[in-house]
Amino acid sequence: MQDIILLGIGGHAHSVADSIERAGKYRIIGFLDREEMQGKSYREYPILGTDADIGRFFEKGVKHAFVTVGFMGHGDVRERLFRQLKDAGYTLPDVIDDTAIVSDRAKLGEGIFVGKKAIINAEAEIGDMCIVNTGAIIEHDCSVGALSHIAVGSVLCGGVKVGTAALVGANATVIQKVKIGDGCIIGAGMTVRRNVGSHHMVWDRGTCRERRLVSDERKM
């Protein structure tokens, strides 16, 4: 069993840690998090330092790491941590819960989390650092750009294209062959039947209203 260190001790980390434990391939040695989180722990896993210690643990022989910070409405933090880990030399495995179904004909990038009972079907392509959360369905021939989050119970029908750092909210459905642009937020429970341009939010189930996101809104 190989050692792995996790970055970020919030709620998303609980799901990831559980899936790592169930797979039995990696031994979690602990977490790295912000300075104000030092001294805390999650169950038996302590916080061992901050982002500044990424290189130190690699030099001590820990070669695997995983970003357990959630999406938080944008992918900036996850992207920064991914770059830091890669620059230090780490391998970021895909963490796939043993209840998930991933086709042998799907193509997965690096550092992806696939939660419990999620499905990724044939010829789908999932970019680096994506989250495919509990019960989400990504159908055949879909593509999901790096750093995107396909949230709990959401459905991408066949041939859907999702850009980078986008969020498809819980229980949302994107109809077949629709394109979702970079940085979009699709509200929970929405059904999206037409293409959505980059950096837009789609909300209000009654009218499927849409607005362009500005930088401040994206970071809420």
Side-chain angles (χ1 to χ4, degrees):
M1 191 179 294
Q2 303 177 77
D3 288 344
I4 190 168
I5 194 163
L6 308 182
L7 276 69
I9 203 169
H12 181 58
H14 301 172
S15 296
V16 176
D18 188 67
S19 294
I20 291 173
E21 291 170 339
R22 290 160 62 94
K25 185 176 180 180
Y26 297 100
R27 176 173 49 249
I28 300 168
I29 66 166
F31 288 86
L32 301 179
D33 209 309
R34 296 163 297 171
E35 190 66 46
E36 58 267 31
M37 298 295 289
Q38 301 308 300
K40 298 184 179 181
S41 63
Y42 171 58
R43 295 178 19 223
E44 69 269 32
Y45 305 126
I47 294 182
L48 299 172
T50 69
D51 301 353
D53 296 303
I54 285 173
R56 179 168 66 87
F57 279 95
F58 186 82
E59 291 171 359
K60 290 175 65 174
V62 181
K63 304 303 182 184
H64 297 85
F66 199 85
V67 178
T68 48
V69 175
F71 183 77
M72 301 186 301
H74 55 89
D76 297 355
V77 174
R78 289 174 55 80
E79 182 176 17
R80 174 178 61 79
L81 293 173
F82 175 73
R83 298 299 175 199
Q84 285 183 255
L85 290 169
K86 294 302 294 180
D87 288 347
Y90 284 91
T91 296
L92 280 72
D94 294 332
V95 174
I96 301 172
D97 193 85
D98 63 4
T99 64
I101 299 173
V102 179
S103 169
D104 290 341
R105 296 190 176 275
K107 298 178 182 178
L108 273 59
E110 189 173 8
I112 295 167
F113 175 66
V114 184
K116 291 176 174 61
K117 297 188 176 181
I119 298 172
I120 301 176
N121 216 333
E123 309 303 334
E125 296 186 13
I126 314 298
D128 294 340
M129 292 292 294
C130 285
I131 299 171
V132 182
N133 228 327
T134 306
I137 298 174
I138 297 178
E139 262 300 341
H140 62 86
D141 300 289
C142 289
S143 66
V144 180
L147 298 161
S148 288
H149 181 182
I150 310 304
V152 174
S154 56
V155 178
L156 306 185
C157 298
V160 166
K161 309 297 182 187
V162 177
T164 61
L167 168 64
V168 178
N171 292 311
T173 299
V174 184
I175 299 301
Q176 59 268 20
K177 296 187 177 181
V178 165
K179 296 179 181 178
I180 306 296
D182 298 340
C184 285
I185 296 177
I186 307 302
M190 295 299 304
T191 298
V192 181
R193 303 177 184 275
R194 57 182 173 80
N195 295 346
V196 180
S198 293
H199 307 298
H200 280 68
M201 174 184 284
V202 178
W203 87 109
D204 189 337
R205 188 180 301 183
T207 60
C208 198
R209 289 187 288 181
E210 178 180 329
R211 74 173 182 223
R212 184 166 179 81
L213 291 164
V214 298
S215 57
D216 287 342
E217 288 173 330
R218 290 183 65 203
K219 295 181 180 180
M220 289 175 62

